[in-house]
Amino acid sequence: MKKIAVLTSGGDAPGMNASVRAIVRKSIYHELQIYGIMRGFQGLINGEIKAMRLGSVADTIHRGGTILLTARSPEFLTAEGQAKGIAFLQQEELEGLIIIGGDGSFRGAGVLEAAGIKTVGIPATIDNDIPFTDNCIGFDTALNTVTDAINRVRDTATSHERVYVIEVMGRDSGHIALLAGLAGGAESIIVPEVPFDLAEVCSRLTRGVERGKLHSIILVAEGAGSAIQIAKDIEELTRMEVRVTILGHLQRGGTPTAYDRILASRLGARAVDLLMEGTSGVMVGYYQAGIQVIPYGDVFANEKSFSWEDYKLAGILAI
Ligand code: F6P
């Protein structure tokens, strides 16, 4: 293998740049030609490619976002768009492609693989909803960002003796809400994986006030419902003063944590090795204390497990 490329796709995640850096530098170390495709799968369709050199990734390891830019490409979901992307890769004589992104990106990788293009996927999404990897790149940073936000909201919540409902991202999953809730000491955590019981949330609040709590924090995953509506319902039922904070896209930005940079570097370097060995159609993840190589089929057929133990623990610790 002499010529390979890398792209980032879907929602950006802190640590994507550290992964691109590792791929570029490891490729050059092995004397491969390495190219960056801009704007994810849309860039494949539009033919946006640039040669990457050692200096192309200088000063990027600590930066959030992605220097290759990213996109959600509706066009690549069509047969016509896919044919354009495949034709471009063949025309450029690219022998392998590393795709950094979430599950939608891996489905795109699967399409290319089926067309005979060798691909390796690297899991990067703050949602952390991909199985066979403890963490996806970006999750640890987002978790720390949300935990920090909870600390800040807690200061004002205590001062005013208020209830706060904080809405976090995660799409259809509750991993950010669960672990940030555990780390931030939330009174209740509302996630899509667990049926939501408003009466139980309210009775926790009332019990808290009775034992002298000055504030309460309720963490809601976006996939479980609207923080605004939940706050209204709580106000009606408890007559307490409730405020809402929707953290939104600030969860996706910021300098990646050391954990995310290390994970991104390890997975990026391994992805290059895999292509050189002729292995493709796989995701490279980190679980069971090591780097693991998992066929796309297994990734698609499984769901990331939700930690019931942590959910129960958070509930117990917030009594
Ligand atoms: O997948 C990452 C994510 O940030 C989700 O948590 C969120 O639902 C979605 O992307 C938002 O997407 P966009 O930035 O395209 O609005």
Side-chain angles (χ1 to χ4, degrees), residues 7-13 16-17 20 38 63-71 100:
L7 63 79
T8 51
S9 163
D12 59 302
M16 278 182 161
N17 285 330
V20 171
M38 303 302 291
R63 294 191 195 281
T66 163
I67 57 166
L68 295 179
L69 310 184
T70 186
I100 306 174

Side-chain angles (χ1 to χ4, degrees), residues 6-124:
V6 54
L7 63 79
T8 51
S9 163
D12 59 302
M16 278 182 161
N17 285 330
S19 203
V20 171
R21 172 181 177 270
I23 291 162
V24 168
R25 298 244 163 119
K26 189 85 185 324
S27 297
I28 293 171
Y29 174 80
H30 289 299
E31 299 180 349
L32 299 177
Q33 293 173 50
I34 173 77
Y35 288 81
I37 307 286
M38 303 302 291
R39 299 182 177 82
F41 290 99
Q42 194 58 41
L44 275 187
I45 294 171
N46 298 342
E48 294 180 80
I49 187 169
K50 68 173 185 188
M52 303 295 279
R53 324 227 176 270
L54 287 175
S56 312
V57 288
D59 205 19
T60 60
I61 194 166
H62 62 300
R63 294 191 195 281
T66 163
I67 57 166
L68 295 179
L69 310 184
T70 186
R72 302 195 191 277
S73 171
E75 199 181 346
F76 197 76
L77 297 175
T78 66
E80 208 188 344
Q82 290 166 6
K84 278 190 200 164
I86 291 162
F88 175 70
L89 285 163
Q90 287 165 343
Q91 168 205 312
E92 291 293 320
E93 297 180 337
L94 287 163
E95 295 161 86
L97 178 64
I98 298 173
I99 290 159
I100 306 174
D103 58 345
S105 311
F106 291 169
R107 292 196 187 269
V111 167
L112 297 177
E113 193 68 35
I117 289 155
K118 294 193 177 310
T119 65
V120 172
I122 296 182

Side-chain angles (χ1 to χ4, degrees), residues 11 72 125-127 169-171 222 249 252:
R72 302 195 191 277
T125 164
I126 64 161
D127 301 339
M169 280 185 164
R171 202 180 285 277
E222 61 178 351
H249 286 80
R252 283 226 306 250

Side-chain angles (χ1 to χ4, degrees), residues 56-294:
S56 312
V57 288
D59 205 19
T60 60
I61 194 166
H62 62 300
R63 294 191 195 281
T66 163
I67 57 166
L68 295 179
L69 310 184
T70 186
R72 302 195 191 277
S73 171
E75 199 181 346
F76 197 76
L77 297 175
T78 66
E80 208 188 344
Q82 290 166 6
K84 278 190 200 164
I86 291 162
F88 175 70
L89 285 163
Q90 287 165 343
Q91 168 205 312
E92 291 293 320
E93 297 180 337
L94 287 163
E95 295 161 86
L97 178 64
I98 298 173
I99 290 159
I100 306 174
D103 58 345
S105 311
F106 291 169
R107 292 196 187 269
V111 167
L112 297 177
E113 193 68 35
I117 289 155
K118 294 193 177 310
T119 65
V120 172
I122 296 182
T125 164
I126 64 161
D127 301 339
N128 207 31
D129 57 352
I130 297 179
F132 302 111
T133 190
D134 296 334
N135 275 19
C136 298
I137 295 167
F139 177 62
D140 185 63
T141 306
L143 201 53
N144 280 284
T145 302
V146 174
T147 305
D148 179 60
I150 295 172
N151 295 343
R152 289 165 193 265
V153 167
R154 187 188 280 275
D155 287 345
T156 176
T158 305
S159 305
H160 285 266
E161 300 181 59
R162 282 174 178 159
V163 175
Y164 267 81
V165 181
I166 302 179
E167 184 179 303
V168 299
M169 280 185 164
R171 202 180 285 277
D172 303 321
S173 73
H175 302 291
I176 297 177
L178 173 62
L179 293 190
L182 185 57
E187 273 63 36
S188 290
I189 301 172
I190 300 175
V191 290
E193 290 85 349
V194 185
F196 161 42
D197 181 352
L198 184 68
E200 164 61 13
V201 171
C202 291
S203 75
R204 265 178 183 272
L205 290 175
T206 316
R207 283 200 307 269
V209 171
E210 280 165 7
R211 77 164 177 81
K213 273 196 181 185
L214 294 180
H215 70 270
S216 290
I217 306 277
I218 296 166
L219 223 55
V220 184
E222 61 178 351
S226 145
I228 295 172
Q229 188 56 50
I230 291 170
K232 275 190 191 146
D233 295 345
I234 293 173
E235 260 178 349
E236 261 176 39
L237 272 173
T238 63
R239 301 281 150 210
M240 292 179 184
E241 190 177 12
V242 186
R243 290 284 191 274
V244 174
T245 301
I246 299 174
L247 296 182
H249 286 80
L250 70 81
Q251 294 162 90
R252 283 226 306 250
T255 188
T257 58
Y259 180 98
D260 272 332
R261 297 182 206 187
I262 293 165
L263 178 68
S265 301
R266 286 178 175 158
L267 298 186
R270 187 64 196 275
V272 174
D273 288 342
L274 287 169
L275 284 180
M276 288 180 68
E277 288 162 28
T279 304
S280 73
V282 296
M283 178 189 95
V284 57
Y286 194 92
Y287 79 114
Q288 292 171 350
I291 295 181
Q292 310 286 345
V293 178
I294 307 102

